[in-house]
Amino acid sequence: MASRRFLFVEPGAWVRHPGCPEWGPGQVQSVIDDRITVNFEDAGKVLINARVVSLELVDD
């Protein structure tokens, strides 16, 4: 089960990868346990391990 700190991320949310700002914003496609699939504007679909990377929400 995913840690509580990952519960804010849900499909449809817009996020950024703090270590790869060149990827641009990305939309969360799916969340399964600690695996988050994000479709980034400049990097395409990327599988993120939420135990390693804390994605940042993009403000509306």
Side-chain angles (χ1 to χ4, degrees), residues 1-56:
M1 185 166 185
S3 168
R4 285 190 173 278
R5 69 187 182 116
F6 308 134
L7 295 179
F8 72 91
V9 178
E10 59 185 26
W14 284 88
V15 296
R16 287 189 187 277
H17 187 302
C20 300
E22 68 276 9
W23 290 1
Q27 188 173 34
V28 175
Q29 303 299 300
S30 67
V31 179
I32 301 173
D33 295 324
D34 58 358
R35 295 173 296 171
I36 304 170
T37 302
V38 182
N39 190 15
F40 290 98
E41 287 184 356
D42 297 319
K45 191 179 287 188
V46 178
L47 180 61
I48 303 292
N49 181 342
R51 291 178 189 247
V52 177
V53 177
S54 293
L55 296 170
E56 301 171 345

